[in-house]
PDB file of all heavy atoms in Angstrom:
ATOM      1  N   ARG A 277     -25.387 -30.514 -54.190  1.00  0.00           N
ATOM      2  CA  ARG A 277     -25.016 -31.829 -53.661  1.00  0.00           C
ATOM      3  C   ARG A 277     -23.497 -32.040 -53.746  1.00  0.00           C
ATOM      4  O   ARG A 277     -22.860 -32.476 -52.785  1.00  0.00           O
ATOM      5  CB  ARG A 277     -25.750 -32.908 -54.457  1.00  0.00           C
ATOM      6  CG  ARG A 277     -25.356 -34.303 -54.073  1.00  0.00           C
ATOM      7  CD  ARG A 277     -26.362 -35.352 -54.550  1.00  0.00           C
ATOM      8  NE  ARG A 277     -25.781 -36.670 -54.380  1.00  0.00           N
ATOM      9  CZ  ARG A 277     -25.356 -37.417 -55.383  1.00  0.00           C
ATOM     10  NH1 ARG A 277     -25.493 -37.001 -56.628  1.00  0.00           N
ATOM     11  NH2 ARG A 277     -24.797 -38.583 -55.145  1.00  0.00           N
ATOM     12  N   TYR A 278     -22.935 -31.706 -54.882  1.00  0.00           N
ATOM     13  CA  TYR A 278     -21.488 -31.905 -55.030  1.00  0.00           C
ATOM     14  C   TYR A 278     -20.685 -30.834 -54.297  1.00  0.00           C
ATOM     15  O   TYR A 278     -19.582 -31.094 -53.806  1.00  0.00           O
ATOM     16  CB  TYR A 278     -21.096 -32.009 -56.505  1.00  0.00           C
ATOM     17  CG  TYR A 278     -21.200 -33.434 -56.969  1.00  0.00           C
ATOM     18  CD1 TYR A 278     -22.373 -33.925 -57.518  1.00  0.00           C
ATOM     19  CD2 TYR A 278     -20.145 -34.317 -56.777  1.00  0.00           C
ATOM     20  CE1 TYR A 278     -22.495 -35.251 -57.884  1.00  0.00           C
ATOM     21  CE2 TYR A 278     -20.247 -35.641 -57.138  1.00  0.00           C
ATOM     22  CZ  TYR A 278     -21.425 -36.113 -57.691  1.00  0.00           C
ATOM     23  OH  TYR A 278     -21.533 -37.429 -58.036  1.00  0.00           O
ATOM     24  N   LEU A 279     -21.229 -29.650 -54.223  1.00  0.00           N
ATOM     25  CA  LEU A 279     -20.486 -28.600 -53.512  1.00  0.00           C
ATOM     26  C   LEU A 279     -20.283 -28.977 -52.040  1.00  0.00           C
ATOM     27  O   LEU A 279     -19.253 -28.660 -51.443  1.00  0.00           O
ATOM     28  CB  LEU A 279     -21.196 -27.255 -53.649  1.00  0.00           C
ATOM     29  CG  LEU A 279     -21.177 -26.668 -55.068  1.00  0.00           C
ATOM     30  CD1 LEU A 279     -21.998 -25.386 -55.130  1.00  0.00           C
ATOM     31  CD2 LEU A 279     -19.739 -26.412 -55.548  1.00  0.00           C
ATOM     32  N   GLN A 280     -21.248 -29.691 -51.472  1.00  0.00           N
ATOM     33  CA  GLN A 280     -21.075 -30.173 -50.091  1.00  0.00           C
ATOM     34  C   GLN A 280     -19.866 -31.107 -50.003  1.00  0.00           C
ATOM     35  O   GLN A 280     -19.124 -31.108 -49.023  1.00  0.00           O
ATOM     36  CB  GLN A 280     -22.287 -31.001 -49.626  1.00  0.00           C
ATOM     37  CG  GLN A 280     -23.628 -30.355 -49.806  1.00  0.00           C
ATOM     38  CD  GLN A 280     -23.971 -29.415 -48.664  1.00  0.00           C
ATOM     39  OE1 GLN A 280     -23.260 -29.394 -47.669  1.00  0.00           O
ATOM     40  NE2 GLN A 280     -25.013 -28.623 -48.829  1.00  0.00           N
ATOM     41  N   LYS A 281     -19.704 -31.900 -51.029  1.00  0.00           N
ATOM     42  CA  LYS A 281     -18.603 -32.866 -51.050  1.00  0.00           C
ATOM     43  C   LYS A 281     -17.268 -32.131 -51.194  1.00  0.00           C
ATOM     44  O   LYS A 281     -16.290 -32.451 -50.515  1.00  0.00           O
ATOM     45  CB  LYS A 281     -18.803 -33.864 -52.203  1.00  0.00           C
ATOM     46  CG  LYS A 281     -20.073 -34.709 -52.090  1.00  0.00           C
ATOM     47  CD  LYS A 281     -20.330 -35.486 -53.387  1.00  0.00           C
ATOM     48  CE  LYS A 281     -21.688 -36.180 -53.399  1.00  0.00           C
ATOM     49  NZ  LYS A 281     -21.708 -37.469 -52.695  1.00  0.00           N
ATOM     50  N   VAL A 282     -17.266 -31.155 -52.084  1.00  0.00           N
ATOM     51  CA  VAL A 282     -16.036 -30.376 -52.266  1.00  0.00           C
ATOM     52  C   VAL A 282     -15.697 -29.650 -50.963  1.00  0.00           C
ATOM     53  O   VAL A 282     -14.529 -29.572 -50.557  1.00  0.00           O
ATOM     54  CB  VAL A 282     -16.191 -29.364 -53.430  1.00  0.00           C
ATOM     55  CG1 VAL A 282     -14.925 -28.533 -53.578  1.00  0.00           C
ATOM     56  CG2 VAL A 282     -16.509 -30.088 -54.736  1.00  0.00           C
ATOM     57  N   ALA A 283     -16.744 -29.174 -50.282  1.00  0.00           N
ATOM     58  CA  ALA A 283     -16.511 -28.458 -49.018  1.00  0.00           C
ATOM     59  C   ALA A 283     -15.870 -29.370 -47.978  1.00  0.00           C
ATOM     60  O   ALA A 283     -15.018 -28.934 -47.192  1.00  0.00           O
ATOM     61  CB  ALA A 283     -17.831 -27.890 -48.492  1.00  0.00           C
ATOM     62  N   ALA A 284     -16.250 -30.640 -47.991  1.00  0.00           N
ATOM     63  CA  ALA A 284     -15.650 -31.579 -47.031  1.00  0.00           C
ATOM     64  C   ALA A 284     -14.153 -31.740 -47.317  1.00  0.00           C
ATOM     65  O   ALA A 284     -13.329 -31.784 -46.392  1.00  0.00           O
ATOM     66  CB  ALA A 284     -16.363 -32.929 -47.104  1.00  0.00           C
ATOM     67  N   LEU A 285     -13.806 -31.811 -48.587  1.00  0.00           N
ATOM     68  CA  LEU A 285     -12.378 -31.893 -48.939  1.00  0.00           C
ATOM     69  C   LEU A 285     -11.661 -30.622 -48.486  1.00  0.00           C
ATOM     70  O   LEU A 285     -10.568 -30.673 -47.914  1.00  0.00           O
ATOM     71  CB  LEU A 285     -12.202 -32.081 -50.450  1.00  0.00           C
ATOM     72  CG  LEU A 285     -12.633 -33.436 -51.031  1.00  0.00           C
ATOM     73  CD1 LEU A 285     -12.478 -33.435 -52.549  1.00  0.00           C
ATOM     74  CD2 LEU A 285     -11.803 -34.569 -50.417  1.00  0.00           C
ATOM     75  N   ALA A 286     -12.305 -29.488 -48.730  1.00  0.00           N
ATOM     76  CA  ALA A 286     -11.685 -28.216 -48.335  1.00  0.00           C
ATOM     77  C   ALA A 286     -11.417 -28.186 -46.832  1.00  0.00           C
ATOM     78  O   ALA A 286     -10.378 -27.681 -46.387  1.00  0.00           O
ATOM     79  CB  ALA A 286     -12.579 -27.049 -48.745  1.00  0.00           C
ATOM     80  N   ASP A 287     -12.331 -28.755 -46.063  1.00  0.00           N
ATOM     81  CA  ASP A 287     -12.136 -28.796 -44.607  1.00  0.00           C
ATOM     82  C   ASP A 287     -10.898 -29.603 -44.234  1.00  0.00           C
ATOM     83  O   ASP A 287     -10.156 -29.235 -43.330  1.00  0.00           O
ATOM     84  CB  ASP A 287     -13.354 -29.432 -43.918  1.00  0.00           C
ATOM     85  CG  ASP A 287     -14.563 -28.506 -43.943  1.00  0.00           C
ATOM     86  OD1 ASP A 287     -14.391 -27.294 -44.198  1.00  0.00           O
ATOM     87  OD2 ASP A 287     -15.685 -29.010 -43.712  1.00  0.00           O
ATOM     88  N   VAL A 288     -10.703 -30.708 -44.940  1.00  0.00           N
ATOM     89  CA  VAL A 288      -9.524 -31.547 -44.642  1.00  0.00           C
ATOM     90  C   VAL A 288      -8.235 -30.810 -45.021  1.00  0.00           C
ATOM     91  O   VAL A 288      -7.232 -30.886 -44.318  1.00  0.00           O
ATOM     92  CB  VAL A 288      -9.605 -32.898 -45.398  1.00  0.00           C
ATOM     93  CG1 VAL A 288      -8.356 -33.738 -45.142  1.00  0.00           C
ATOM     94  CG2 VAL A 288     -10.863 -33.668 -45.006  1.00  0.00           C
ATOM     95  N   PHE A 289      -8.291 -30.086 -46.131  1.00  0.00           N
ATOM     96  CA  PHE A 289      -7.052 -29.476 -46.647  1.00  0.00           C
ATOM     97  C   PHE A 289      -6.682 -28.162 -45.958  1.00  0.00           C
ATOM     98  O   PHE A 289      -5.524 -27.754 -45.960  1.00  0.00           O
ATOM     99  CB  PHE A 289      -7.186 -29.200 -48.158  1.00  0.00           C
ATOM    100  CG  PHE A 289      -7.495 -30.420 -48.977  1.00  0.00           C
ATOM    101  CD1 PHE A 289      -8.129 -30.315 -50.215  1.00  0.00           C
ATOM    102  CD2 PHE A 289      -7.144 -31.684 -48.526  1.00  0.00           C
ATOM    103  CE1 PHE A 289      -8.419 -31.440 -50.967  1.00  0.00           C
ATOM    104  CE2 PHE A 289      -7.432 -32.825 -49.276  1.00  0.00           C
ATOM    105  CZ  PHE A 289      -8.076 -32.687 -50.496  1.00  0.00           C
ATOM    106  N   ARG A 290      -7.685 -27.493 -45.395  1.00  0.00           N
ATOM    107  CA  ARG A 290      -7.473 -26.140 -44.871  1.00  0.00           C
ATOM    108  C   ARG A 290      -6.314 -26.027 -43.884  1.00  0.00           C
ATOM    109  O   ARG A 290      -5.469 -25.127 -44.020  1.00  0.00           O
ATOM    110  CB  ARG A 290      -8.772 -25.614 -44.256  1.00  0.00           C
ATOM    111  CG  ARG A 290      -8.755 -24.144 -43.920  1.00  0.00           C
ATOM    112  CD  ARG A 290     -10.149 -23.619 -43.648  1.00  0.00           C
ATOM    113  NE  ARG A 290     -11.021 -23.674 -44.815  1.00  0.00           N
ATOM    114  CZ  ARG A 290     -12.100 -24.467 -44.918  1.00  0.00           C
ATOM    115  NH1 ARG A 290     -12.450 -25.254 -43.932  1.00  0.00           N
ATOM    116  NH2 ARG A 290     -12.819 -24.456 -46.021  1.00  0.00           N
ATOM    117  N   PRO A 291      -6.216 -26.919 -42.907  1.00  0.00           N
ATOM    118  CA  PRO A 291      -5.097 -26.772 -41.959  1.00  0.00           C
ATOM    119  C   PRO A 291      -3.728 -26.825 -42.639  1.00  0.00           C
ATOM    120  O   PRO A 291      -2.746 -26.326 -42.099  1.00  0.00           O
ATOM    121  CB  PRO A 291      -5.268 -27.984 -41.032  1.00  0.00           C
ATOM    122  CG  PRO A 291      -6.694 -28.390 -41.162  1.00  0.00           C
ATOM    123  CD  PRO A 291      -7.106 -28.024 -42.556  1.00  0.00           C
ATOM    124  N   TYR A 292      -3.684 -27.418 -43.824  1.00  0.00           N
ATOM    125  CA  TYR A 292      -2.407 -27.563 -44.531  1.00  0.00           C
ATOM    126  C   TYR A 292      -2.151 -26.415 -45.507  1.00  0.00           C
ATOM    127  O   TYR A 292      -1.210 -26.461 -46.298  1.00  0.00           O
ATOM    128  CB  TYR A 292      -2.373 -28.911 -45.270  1.00  0.00           C
ATOM    129  CG  TYR A 292      -2.340 -30.062 -44.296  1.00  0.00           C
ATOM    130  CD1 TYR A 292      -3.510 -30.642 -43.831  1.00  0.00           C
ATOM    131  CD2 TYR A 292      -1.128 -30.535 -43.796  1.00  0.00           C
ATOM    132  CE1 TYR A 292      -3.482 -31.672 -42.904  1.00  0.00           C
ATOM    133  CE2 TYR A 292      -1.081 -31.560 -42.875  1.00  0.00           C
ATOM    134  CZ  TYR A 292      -2.256 -32.120 -42.432  1.00  0.00           C
ATOM    135  OH  TYR A 292      -2.213 -33.131 -41.504  1.00  0.00           O
ATOM    136  N   GLY A 293      -3.004 -25.405 -45.461  1.00  0.00           N
ATOM    137  CA  GLY A 293      -2.788 -24.244 -46.329  1.00  0.00           C
ATOM    138  C   GLY A 293      -3.144 -24.511 -47.773  1.00  0.00           C
ATOM    139  O   GLY A 293      -2.616 -23.856 -48.673  1.00  0.00           O
ATOM    140  N   ILE A 294      -4.023 -25.469 -47.999  1.00  0.00           N
ATOM    141  CA  ILE A 294      -4.384 -25.843 -49.373  1.00  0.00           C
ATOM    142  C   ILE A 294      -5.840 -25.478 -49.656  1.00  0.00           C
ATOM    143  O   ILE A 294      -6.739 -25.844 -48.897  1.00  0.00           O
ATOM    144  CB  ILE A 294      -4.170 -27.362 -49.585  1.00  0.00           C
ATOM    145  CG1 ILE A 294      -2.687 -27.692 -49.397  1.00  0.00           C
ATOM    146  CG2 ILE A 294      -4.668 -27.799 -50.955  1.00  0.00           C
ATOM    147  CD1 ILE A 294      -2.397 -29.162 -49.282  1.00  0.00           C
ATOM    148  N   ARG A 295      -6.048 -24.762 -50.749  1.00  0.00           N
ATOM    149  CA  ARG A 295      -7.405 -24.366 -51.136  1.00  0.00           C
ATOM    150  C   ARG A 295      -7.916 -25.257 -52.252  1.00  0.00           C
ATOM    151  O   ARG A 295      -7.125 -25.731 -53.072  1.00  0.00           O
ATOM    152  CB  ARG A 295      -7.397 -22.943 -51.691  1.00  0.00           C
ATOM    153  CG  ARG A 295      -7.084 -21.903 -50.683  1.00  0.00           C
ATOM    154  CD  ARG A 295      -6.950 -20.590 -51.410  1.00  0.00           C
ATOM    155  NE  ARG A 295      -6.695 -19.548 -50.439  1.00  0.00           N
ATOM    156  CZ  ARG A 295      -7.265 -18.353 -50.475  1.00  0.00           C
ATOM    157  NH1 ARG A 295      -8.098 -18.040 -51.444  1.00  0.00           N
ATOM    158  NH2 ARG A 295      -6.983 -17.472 -49.566  1.00  0.00           N
ATOM    159  N   VAL A 296      -9.209 -25.378 -52.333  1.00  0.00           N
ATOM    160  CA  VAL A 296      -9.781 -26.129 -53.448  1.00  0.00           C
ATOM    161  C   VAL A 296     -10.277 -25.181 -54.543  1.00  0.00           C
ATOM    162  O   VAL A 296     -10.676 -24.041 -54.277  1.00  0.00           O
ATOM    163  CB  VAL A 296     -10.942 -27.056 -53.017  1.00  0.00           C
ATOM    164  CG1 VAL A 296     -10.455 -28.131 -52.068  1.00  0.00           C
ATOM    165  CG2 VAL A 296     -12.090 -26.275 -52.433  1.00  0.00           C
ATOM    166  N   TYR A 297     -10.214 -25.700 -55.747  1.00  0.00           N
ATOM    167  CA  TYR A 297     -10.704 -25.023 -56.955  1.00  0.00           C
ATOM    168  C   TYR A 297     -11.583 -26.016 -57.706  1.00  0.00           C
ATOM    169  O   TYR A 297     -11.455 -27.226 -57.531  1.00  0.00           O
ATOM    170  CB  TYR A 297      -9.545 -24.626 -57.880  1.00  0.00           C
ATOM    171  CG  TYR A 297      -8.561 -23.655 -57.293  1.00  0.00           C
ATOM    172  CD1 TYR A 297      -7.613 -24.071 -56.357  1.00  0.00           C
ATOM    173  CD2 TYR A 297      -8.540 -22.319 -57.691  1.00  0.00           C
ATOM    174  CE1 TYR A 297      -6.698 -23.186 -55.819  1.00  0.00           C
ATOM    175  CE2 TYR A 297      -7.622 -21.424 -57.169  1.00  0.00           C
ATOM    176  CZ  TYR A 297      -6.693 -21.861 -56.225  1.00  0.00           C
ATOM    177  OH  TYR A 297      -5.781 -20.980 -55.703  1.00  0.00           O
ATOM    178  N   ILE A 298     -12.416 -25.489 -58.572  1.00  0.00           N
ATOM    179  CA  ILE A 298     -13.297 -26.349 -59.371  1.00  0.00           C
ATOM    180  C   ILE A 298     -13.107 -26.018 -60.846  1.00  0.00           C
ATOM    181  O   ILE A 298     -12.998 -24.840 -61.216  1.00  0.00           O
ATOM    182  CB  ILE A 298     -14.775 -26.131 -58.957  1.00  0.00           C
ATOM    183  CG1 ILE A 298     -15.032 -26.769 -57.582  1.00  0.00           C
ATOM    184  CG2 ILE A 298     -15.731 -26.676 -60.002  1.00  0.00           C
ATOM    185  CD1 ILE A 298     -16.450 -26.522 -57.049  1.00  0.00           C
ATOM    186  N   SER A 299     -13.068 -27.066 -61.675  1.00  0.00           N
ATOM    187  CA  SER A 299     -13.135 -26.841 -63.121  1.00  0.00           C
ATOM    188  C   SER A 299     -14.585 -26.591 -63.471  1.00  0.00           C
ATOM    189  O   SER A 299     -15.446 -27.443 -63.212  1.00  0.00           O
ATOM    190  CB  SER A 299     -12.652 -28.067 -63.898  1.00  0.00           C
ATOM    191  OG  SER A 299     -11.280 -28.250 -63.748  1.00  0.00           O
ATOM    192  N   ALA A 300     -14.853 -25.434 -64.048  1.00  0.00           N
ATOM    193  CA  ALA A 300     -16.242 -25.052 -64.308  1.00  0.00           C
ATOM    194  C   ALA A 300     -16.583 -25.275 -65.778  1.00  0.00           C
ATOM    195  O   ALA A 300     -15.804 -24.912 -66.671  1.00  0.00           O
ATOM    196  CB  ALA A 300     -16.448 -23.585 -63.956  1.00  0.00           C
ATOM    197  N   ARG A 301     -17.731 -25.876 -65.989  1.00  0.00           N
ATOM    198  CA  ARG A 301     -18.205 -26.036 -67.365  1.00  0.00           C
ATOM    199  C   ARG A 301     -18.890 -24.746 -67.779  1.00  0.00           C
ATOM    200  O   ARG A 301     -19.785 -24.247 -67.094  1.00  0.00           O
ATOM    201  CB  ARG A 301     -19.168 -27.209 -67.449  1.00  0.00           C
ATOM    202  CG  ARG A 301     -19.660 -27.479 -68.848  1.00  0.00           C
ATOM    203  CD  ARG A 301     -20.371 -28.816 -68.925  1.00  0.00           C
ATOM    204  NE  ARG A 301     -20.967 -29.040 -70.226  1.00  0.00           N
ATOM    205  CZ  ARG A 301     -20.318 -29.528 -71.286  1.00  0.00           C
ATOM    206  NH1 ARG A 301     -19.046 -29.837 -71.187  1.00  0.00           N
ATOM    207  NH2 ARG A 301     -20.939 -29.715 -72.429  1.00  0.00           N
ATOM    208  N   PHE A 302     -18.449 -24.236 -68.915  1.00  0.00           N
ATOM    209  CA  PHE A 302     -18.911 -22.903 -69.305  1.00  0.00           C
ATOM    210  C   PHE A 302     -20.423 -22.839 -69.531  1.00  0.00           C
ATOM    211  O   PHE A 302     -21.056 -21.801 -69.293  1.00  0.00           O
ATOM    212  CB  PHE A 302     -18.167 -22.436 -70.570  1.00  0.00           C
ATOM    213  CG  PHE A 302     -18.307 -20.971 -70.784  1.00  0.00           C
ATOM    214  CD1 PHE A 302     -17.568 -20.074 -70.025  1.00  0.00           C
ATOM    215  CD2 PHE A 302     -19.216 -20.469 -71.706  1.00  0.00           C
ATOM    216  CE1 PHE A 302     -17.718 -18.707 -70.189  1.00  0.00           C
ATOM    217  CE2 PHE A 302     -19.373 -19.109 -71.878  1.00  0.00           C
ATOM    218  CZ  PHE A 302     -18.618 -18.221 -71.114  1.00  0.00           C
ATOM    219  N   SER A 303     -20.993 -23.967 -69.961  1.00  0.00           N
ATOM    220  CA  SER A 303     -22.432 -23.958 -70.253  1.00  0.00           C
ATOM    221  C   SER A 303     -23.273 -24.360 -69.047  1.00  0.00           C
ATOM    222  O   SER A 303     -24.475 -24.601 -69.188  1.00  0.00           O
ATOM    223  CB  SER A 303     -22.719 -24.900 -71.422  1.00  0.00           C
ATOM    224  OG  SER A 303     -22.170 -26.178 -71.138  1.00  0.00           O
ATOM    225  N   ALA A 304     -22.681 -24.382 -67.871  1.00  0.00           N
ATOM    226  CA  ALA A 304     -23.428 -24.767 -66.667  1.00  0.00           C
ATOM    227  C   ALA A 304     -24.707 -23.953 -66.448  1.00  0.00           C
ATOM    228  O   ALA A 304     -25.719 -24.512 -65.994  1.00  0.00           O
ATOM    229  CB  ALA A 304     -22.532 -24.689 -65.434  1.00  0.00           C
ATOM    230  N   PRO A 305     -24.727 -22.658 -66.787  1.00  0.00           N
ATOM    231  CA  PRO A 305     -25.985 -21.913 -66.584  1.00  0.00           C
ATOM    232  C   PRO A 305     -27.155 -22.533 -67.346  1.00  0.00           C
ATOM    233  O   PRO A 305     -28.306 -22.417 -66.917  1.00  0.00           O
ATOM    234  CB  PRO A 305     -25.662 -20.521 -67.136  1.00  0.00           C
ATOM    235  CG  PRO A 305     -24.176 -20.398 -67.038  1.00  0.00           C
ATOM    236  CD  PRO A 305     -23.637 -21.789 -67.248  1.00  0.00           C
ATOM    237  N   ILE A 306     -26.855 -23.205 -68.458  1.00  0.00           N
ATOM    238  CA  ILE A 306     -27.928 -23.874 -69.199  1.00  0.00           C
ATOM    239  C   ILE A 306     -28.242 -25.214 -68.533  1.00  0.00           C
ATOM    240  O   ILE A 306     -29.386 -25.519 -68.206  1.00  0.00           O
ATOM    241  CB  ILE A 306     -27.502 -24.132 -70.672  1.00  0.00           C
ATOM    242  CG1 ILE A 306     -27.146 -22.823 -71.361  1.00  0.00           C
ATOM    243  CG2 ILE A 306     -28.592 -24.905 -71.411  1.00  0.00           C
ATOM    244  CD1 ILE A 306     -26.587 -22.986 -72.774  1.00  0.00           C
ATOM    245  N   GLU A 307     -27.183 -25.988 -68.293  1.00  0.00           N
ATOM    246  CA  GLU A 307     -27.387 -27.369 -67.868  1.00  0.00           C
ATOM    247  C   GLU A 307     -27.955 -27.505 -66.462  1.00  0.00           C
ATOM    248  O   GLU A 307     -28.786 -28.357 -66.203  1.00  0.00           O
ATOM    249  CB  GLU A 307     -26.063 -28.140 -67.981  1.00  0.00           C
ATOM    250  CG  GLU A 307     -25.744 -28.468 -69.430  1.00  0.00           C
ATOM    251  CD  GLU A 307     -24.286 -28.231 -69.780  1.00  0.00           C
ATOM    252  OE1 GLU A 307     -23.486 -27.918 -68.888  1.00  0.00           O
ATOM    253  OE2 GLU A 307     -23.953 -28.352 -70.980  1.00  0.00           O
ATOM    254  N   ILE A 308     -27.466 -26.682 -65.551  1.00  0.00           N
ATOM    255  CA  ILE A 308     -28.028 -26.816 -64.193  1.00  0.00           C
ATOM    256  C   ILE A 308     -28.734 -25.543 -63.742  1.00  0.00           C
ATOM    257  O   ILE A 308     -29.325 -25.514 -62.670  1.00  0.00           O
ATOM    258  CB  ILE A 308     -26.952 -27.215 -63.156  1.00  0.00           C
ATOM    259  CG1 ILE A 308     -25.802 -26.206 -63.127  1.00  0.00           C
ATOM    260  CG2 ILE A 308     -26.432 -28.619 -63.412  1.00  0.00           C
ATOM    261  CD1 ILE A 308     -24.885 -26.375 -61.927  1.00  0.00           C
ATOM    262  N   GLY A 309     -28.659 -24.511 -64.590  1.00  0.00           N
ATOM    263  CA  GLY A 309     -29.283 -23.244 -64.185  1.00  0.00           C
ATOM    264  C   GLY A 309     -30.612 -22.993 -64.859  1.00  0.00           C
ATOM    265  O   GLY A 309     -31.304 -22.031 -64.524  1.00  0.00           O
TER     266      GLY A 309
END
Side-chain angles (χ1 to χ4, degrees):
R277 175 163 169 253
Y278 272 91
L279 292 176
Q280 308 276 351
K281 298 170 188 278
V282 178
L285 290 176
D287 288 344
V288 177
F289 302 156
R290 191 166 295 113
Y292 293 90
I294 298 167
R295 292 173 178 222
V296 296
Y297 298 76
I298 287 176
S299 290
R301 182 168 174 84
F302 196 77
S303 53
I306 302 174
E307 285 137 6
I308 57 167

